Amino acid sequence: MALIVARVVEPGHEMAFQEWARGILAAAATTIGYLGGGLFHPVVDGGPWIIVHRFRNQDALQRWLDSPQRAGFFDNIEGHRHTEVARRELTGMETWFAAANPAGSVPPRWKMAASSAIGIFPISLFGSAVLGPHLAALPLVLRTACFAALFSVLMTYLSMPLVTRVLRRWLRPGQPASSPNTKPQKEIP
């Protein structure tokens, strides 16, 4: 589950906003079920800044949205020189593609499916060839649970971040493969 928020910052207040955004990312990192986040610079001058929060599930997201820490960042509006212009919650496969396309919508479903197949293939091959023989004696349910855990962890933390980075031009045609405007300023583990 990902929460993506776009905020427009008044010219001349970018440094204060970045400090505020780092603070809210750090506060979110203390939420149970928080998986990380980042701050993305505008693609064009005067464009929106993008804050991405990733959560394990809807309950974790709701804990953050209802938290006093988050409320504290919005209670004192004095000095705020930025306005929320868009908010989107992504679930399922869309969350893997959020960082690859922070400023717009996710790629078409067929591109997400093709990218996911590319990410799943080596994990599936590894699981079948290397782990399969060692897990063959386990009951079907336990063997399947082992593969599900392996797939989930490797897809989330290794395979899909690599696939979305390598396929960036294909997933986002018309945008440069690497640009300082599309890299997260700070990644919070």
Side-chain angles (χ1 to χ4, degrees), residues 62-83:
Q62 199 59 52
R63 265 194 301 279
W64 166 244
L65 292 174
D66 296 339
S67 73
Q69 294 86 357
R70 181 181 177 277
F73 280 89
F74 294 98
D75 282 346
N76 180 6
I77 60 169
E78 192 168 322
H80 279 222
R81 303 290 186 166
H82 49 91
T83 306

Side-chain angles (χ1 to χ4, degrees), residues 25-54:
L25 285 164
T30 65
T31 303
I32 295 170
Y34 188 73
L35 300 176
L39 174 63
F40 295 81
H41 291 258
V43 175
V44 296
D45 287 340
W49 291 71
I50 308 296
I51 300 174
V52 177
H53 296 286
R54 295 176 190 266

Side-chain angles (χ1 to χ4, degrees), residues 55-129:
F55 298 89
R56 184 171 317 283
N57 54 36
Q58 180 65 41
D59 290 339
L61 169 60
Q62 199 59 52
R63 265 194 301 279
W64 166 244
L65 292 174
D66 296 339
S67 73
Q69 294 86 357
R70 181 181 177 277
F73 280 89
F74 294 98
D75 282 346
N76 180 6
I77 60 169
E78 192 168 322
H80 279 222
R81 303 290 186 166
H82 49 91
T83 306
E84 183 175 305
V85 294
R87 172 186 296 243
R88 185 158 181 206
E89 293 179 18
L90 301 176
T91 60
M93 261 200 305
E94 294 175 329
T95 61
W96 285 332
F97 297 91
N101 196 2
S105 63
V106 295
R109 288 190 182 271
W110 71 271
K111 284 188 177 184
M112 289 192 294
S115 300
S116 298
I118 292 168
I120 289 170
F121 179 75
I123 297 170
S124 180
L125 185 61
F126 171 78
S128 297

Side-chain angles (χ1 to χ4, degrees), residues 118-143:
I118 292 168
I120 289 170
F121 179 75
I123 297 170
S124 180
L125 185 61
F126 171 78
S128 297
V130 176
L131 292 181
H134 298 291
L135 301 176
L138 293 175
L140 177 63
V141 172
L142 190 54
R143 187 171 60 237

